[in-house]
């Protein structure tokens, strides 16, 4: 039972902060200390969603005709509000999600940069003019906004992922209904609050919190919704995609089982560092996180030693502590899932050579902490080698050749991100062609992407329809109209 007084945060619908018609609420808690309640939020129902969608539908005609420079000015003003409050927002983000406060600061700054990026790019995103044989005719394309867009986002990057969806949606003239993860509603609230303070017209951005089971279907199936952009699990993405009308666009960025291949000519210190950074940043809770390390037999033992050494040096703790590299898992569900897969690894015959225990002593007692786990002698067809874990668990798989490494890397249902560590330019170039992944890296971590470069996966990591990020991130939110003008 919550006995301390906590602040209550409302939905934002048609330009007003309001309670859910359900009159029900839920609490967001700190995963580093579950006795720390971050806030109380609205447990919305379908009536709230209907009202939000209707508000967005009614606001669309005016917003879509608003001058692009005015839409850009609102995004830039919202970015300024975020930048002016980096420290306070980062503190809230860390309390709510668990990542280190410096990483939280970087996320706030990146989110502001994303708003500014699309404020510029959106003003020059237009159609084309086509040569033709009729001197008295002009043939061109025009790009138009779609209408109401549902934005459904996860908890691991609860500010930057919404920013990279909402900004291109708004700058191209769409209106938005935004539902964040129930694990991180506060930082999402702050993004909408910044847009509201920046003067966005009523109904253009709407914000509802609550369980996906209570509000999710209507965000996808309502006839006024023209597009759904979602980031989350593959299972949830498949469910959304199957329920959407064939006239409703979907953009699904989903799970990953990302490999890092270590060749026999690799700099093993670099390979171990890249593995640590890719596997344990955000406590392994990144869709692009390094989950499998596929190592050539000749260097497997030396690489593993270096990986264990570097992993053992990582400090685990609260995100507000200096030097902490691994924080808590985001919620109890994540903790149970990670511990389950660690047991799967043991059952399937892999060797647990480091970590893998839940931490329950001292300051860790009230949080969702687990030691990072390293498994070796992992069979390519085992569960920890095939299934997404979304936690700090590394599976080291030994192979004899580059060809075998590629075969193992591609033999999963995901294709989000992949990397290779090698000094052989021929092998590096061949890898970019052979690997089945939407994001391909050489001598870099599997994690991270530029805001001005396309991002997305292959296979079950994405619907592979429209990419996010970069200039191409605007395409999903617009439709083409071809105009033949005779005179």
């Amino acid at each position: 039972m919550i006995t301390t007084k906590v602040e209550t945060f409302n939905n934002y619908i048609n330009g007003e902060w309001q309670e859910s018609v359900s009159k029900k609420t839920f609490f967001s808690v700190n995963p580093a200390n579950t006795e720390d309640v971050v806030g109380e939020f609205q447990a919305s129902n379908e009536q709230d969603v209907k009202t939000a969608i209707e508000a967005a539908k009614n606001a669309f005609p005016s917003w879509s005709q608003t001058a692009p420079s005015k839409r850009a000015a609102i995004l830039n003003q919202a970015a300024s509000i975020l930048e002016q409050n980096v420290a306070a927002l980062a503190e809230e983000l860390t309390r709510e999600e668990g990542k280190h406060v410096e990483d939280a600061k970087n996320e706030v700054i990146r989110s502001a940069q994303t708003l500014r990026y699309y404020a510029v790019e959106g003003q020059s995103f237009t159609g084309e003019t086509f040569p033709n044989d009729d001197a008295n005719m002009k043939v061109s394309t025009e790009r138009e906004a779609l209408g109401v867009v549902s934005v459904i986002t996860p908890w691991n990057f609860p500010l930057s992922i919404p920013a990279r969806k909402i900004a291109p949606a708004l700058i191209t003239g769409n209106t938005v209904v935004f539902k964040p993860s129930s694990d991180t509603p506060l930082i999402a609230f702050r993004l909408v609050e910044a847009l509201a303070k920046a003067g966005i017209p009523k109904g253009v951005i709407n914000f509802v919190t609550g369980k996906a089971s209570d509000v999710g279907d209507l965000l996808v199936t309502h006839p006024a919704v023209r597009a759904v952009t979602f980031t989350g699990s593959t299972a949830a993405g498949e469910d959304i995609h199957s329920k959407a009308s064939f006239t409703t666009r979907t953009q699904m960025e989903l799970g990953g089982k990302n490999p890092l291949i270590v060749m026999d000519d690799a700099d093993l210190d670099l390979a171990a560092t890249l593995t640590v950074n890719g596997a344990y940043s955000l406590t392994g809770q990144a869709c692009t996180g390094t989950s499998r390390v596929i190592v050539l037999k000749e260097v497997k033992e030396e690489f593993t030693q270096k990986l264990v050494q570097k992993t053992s040096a990582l400090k685990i703790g609260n995100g507000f502590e200096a030097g902490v590299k691994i924080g808590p898992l985001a919620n109890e569900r994540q903790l149970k899932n990670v511990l389950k897969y660690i047991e799967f690894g043991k059952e399937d015959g892999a060797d647990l050579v480091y970590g893998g225990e839940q931490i329950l002593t001292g300051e860790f007692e009230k949080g969702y902490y687990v030691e990072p786990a390293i498994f070796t002698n992992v069979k390519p067809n085992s569960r920890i080698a095939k299934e997404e874990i979304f936690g700090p668990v590394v599976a080291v798989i030994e192979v004899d050749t580059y060809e075998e490494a590629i075969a193992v890397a591609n033999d999963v249902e995901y294709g989000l991100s992949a990397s290779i560590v090698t000094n052989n330019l021929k092998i590096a170039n061949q890898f970019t062609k052979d690997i089945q992944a939407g994001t391909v890296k050489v001598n870099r971590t599997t994690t991270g992407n530029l805001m001005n470069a396309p991002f997305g996966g292959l296979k079950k990591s994405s619907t592979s329809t429209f990419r996010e990020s970069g200039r191409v991130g605007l395409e999903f939110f617009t439709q083409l109209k071809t105009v033949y003008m005779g005179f």
Side-chain angles (χ1 to χ4, degrees):
M1 178 181 293
I2 305 299
T3 56
T4 55
K5 177 66 176 177
V6 297
E7 186 174 354
T8 299
F9 298 89
N10 290 338
N11 292 333
Y12 187 70
I13 299 175
N14 203 29
E16 296 181 359
W17 298 103
Q18 53 190 265
E19 294 180 349
S20 167
V21 297
S22 73
K23 302 301 180 183
K24 297 179 181 179
T25 60
F26 66 94
F27 295 102
S28 175
V29 300
N30 183 345
N33 177 6
T34 56
E35 292 183 354
D36 176 24
V37 181
V38 177
E40 184 178 15
F41 296 86
Q42 304 305 307
S44 304
N45 62 18
E46 286 197 347
Q47 185 56 53
D48 297 305
V49 175
K50 287 179 181 178
T51 305
I53 292 173
E54 286 300 318
K57 179 182 176 182
N58 293 335
F60 173 69
S62 175
W63 179 248
S64 63
Q65 296 302 312
T66 297
S69 61
K70 292 184 178 180
R71 298 198 293 253
I74 290 171
L75 292 183
N76 279 319
Q77 181 60 28
S80 295
I81 292 169
L82 295 181
E83 290 164 344
Q84 292 160 10
N85 295 279
V86 168
L89 293 173
E91 180 177 334
E92 289 182 337
L93 204 168
T94 294
R95 282 182 63 208
E96 188 170 49
E97 195 277 334
K99 66 181 62 178
H100 195 272
V101 68
E102 292 303 317
D103 294 329
K105 288 179 182 177
N106 290 336
E107 182 168 350
V108 176
I109 293 169
R110 180 186 175 94
S111 300
Q113 292 171 339
T114 298
L115 297 182
R116 294 194 187 282
Y117 172 81
Y118 281 113
V120 173
E121 288 290 340
Q123 294 187 76
S124 62
F125 191 65
T126 185
E128 301 174 275
T129 300
F130 299 91
N132 73 91
D133 293 337
D134 187 343
N136 293 312
M137 182 173 68
K138 176 184 176 183
V139 182
S140 61
T141 55
E142 297 178 359
R143 287 192 174 272
E144 296 181 335
L146 300 174
V148 179
V149 176
S150 290
V151 174
I152 307 171
T153 58
W155 45 260
N156 57 338
F157 291 98
L159 186 59
S160 61
I161 289 178
R164 80 178 185 214
K165 294 176 183 290
I166 292 172
L170 294 178
I171 194 64
T172 49
N174 299 279
T175 54
V176 170
V177 179
F178 171 32
K179 196 206 89 67
S181 166
S182 294
D183 288 308
T184 51
L186 178 55
I187 197 65
F189 175 98
R190 296 302 187 200
L191 175 59
V192 176
E193 183 181 52
L195 288 165
K197 289 180 177 179
I200 200 163
K202 69 178 185 178
V204 174
I205 181 78
N206 301 274
F207 171 76
V208 292
T209 55
K211 293 181 180 179
S213 57
D214 293 333
V215 301
D217 280 4
L218 199 60
L219 286 167
V220 177
T221 61
H222 193 289
V225 173
R226 291 294 316 283
V228 181
T229 176
F230 168 80
T231 297
S233 72
T234 295
E238 288 179 330
D239 182 62
I240 290 171
H241 190 59
S242 68
K243 290 175 178 176
S245 162
F246 80 98
T247 58
T248 301
R249 284 189 182 181
T250 61
Q251 181 184 57
M252 307 283 110
E253 290 304 333
L254 310 172
K257 192 64 181 174
N258 312 297
L260 182 142
I261 296 174
V262 181
M263 294 300 296
D264 51 6
D265 69 328
D267 179 333
L268 297 184
D269 276 316
L270 173 63
T273 297
L274 294 176
T275 301
V276 166
N277 292 343
Y280 304 137
S281 61
L282 198 61
T283 317
Q285 300 170 120
C287 57
T288 55
T290 305
S291 183
R292 299 175 292 154
V293 185
I294 302 168
V295 189
L296 271 289
K297 181 178 181 179
E298 292 84 349
V299 295
K300 181 242 185 177
E301 290 300 326
E302 185 179 354
F303 166 79
T304 303
Q305 290 174 6
K306 291 180 180 292
L307 177 60
V308 170
Q309 181 182 25
K310 291 179 183 292
T311 301
S312 64
L314 299 176
K315 182 179 180 180
I316 303 172
N318 191 300
F320 291 109
E321 295 179 23
V324 163
K325 296 298 182 183
I326 298 180
L329 293 162
N331 52 53
E332 185 178 16
R333 182 179 65 256
Q334 283 298 112
L335 175 65
K336 289 181 178 179
N337 188 65
V338 170
L339 294 174
K340 177 184 72 175
Y341 273 97
I342 289 171
E343 291 305 310
F344 284 167
K346 297 174 185 177
E347 292 172 8
D348 291 344
D351 296 329
L352 180 61
V353 297
Y354 183 83
E357 296 292 329
Q358 183 179 357
I359 310 175
L360 295 168
T361 57
E363 63 181 291
F364 303 107
E365 182 181 2
K366 297 174 183 177
Y368 304 123
Y369 291 96
V370 65
E371 296 172 335
I374 300 172
F375 283 95
T376 61
N377 299 321
V378 176
K379 299 173 184 176
N381 62 350
S382 65
R383 286 171 286 187
I384 62 169
K386 289 278 195 179
E387 301 171 12
E388 185 177 39
I389 302 172
F390 221 62
V393 180
V394 174
V396 178
I397 303 170
E398 180 183 307
V399 293
D400 292 323
T401 64
Y402 166 78
E403 290 75 17
E404 184 183 359
I406 288 293
V408 171
N410 287 338
D411 189 26
V412 293
E413 63 182 4
Y414 301 103
L416 184 53
S417 180
S419 182
I420 192 170
V421 187
T422 181
N423 289 309
N424 186 322
L425 287 177
K426 183 178 180 180
I427 288 291
N429 184 62
Q430 189 61 41
F431 170 75
T432 66
K433 297 174 172 61
D434 293 338
I435 196 68
Q436 297 169 1
T439 300
V440 182
K441 300 189 177 185
V442 176
N443 297 323
R444 292 293 183 269
T445 65
T446 59
T447 53
N449 62 285
L450 295 176
M451 75 174 65
N452 59 342
F455 174 75
L458 306 179
K459 300 193 281 190
K460 285 195 172 183
S461 288
S462 172
T463 43
S464 294
T465 47
F466 296 86
R467 289 293 189 239
E468 291 191 331
S469 293
R471 187 173 176 84
V472 300
L474 294 159
E475 293 178 1
F476 175 74
F477 301 99
T478 61
Q479 58 193 1
L480 280 175
K481 180 181 288 183
T482 305
V483 179
Y484 292 76
M485 177 68 72
F487 28 79

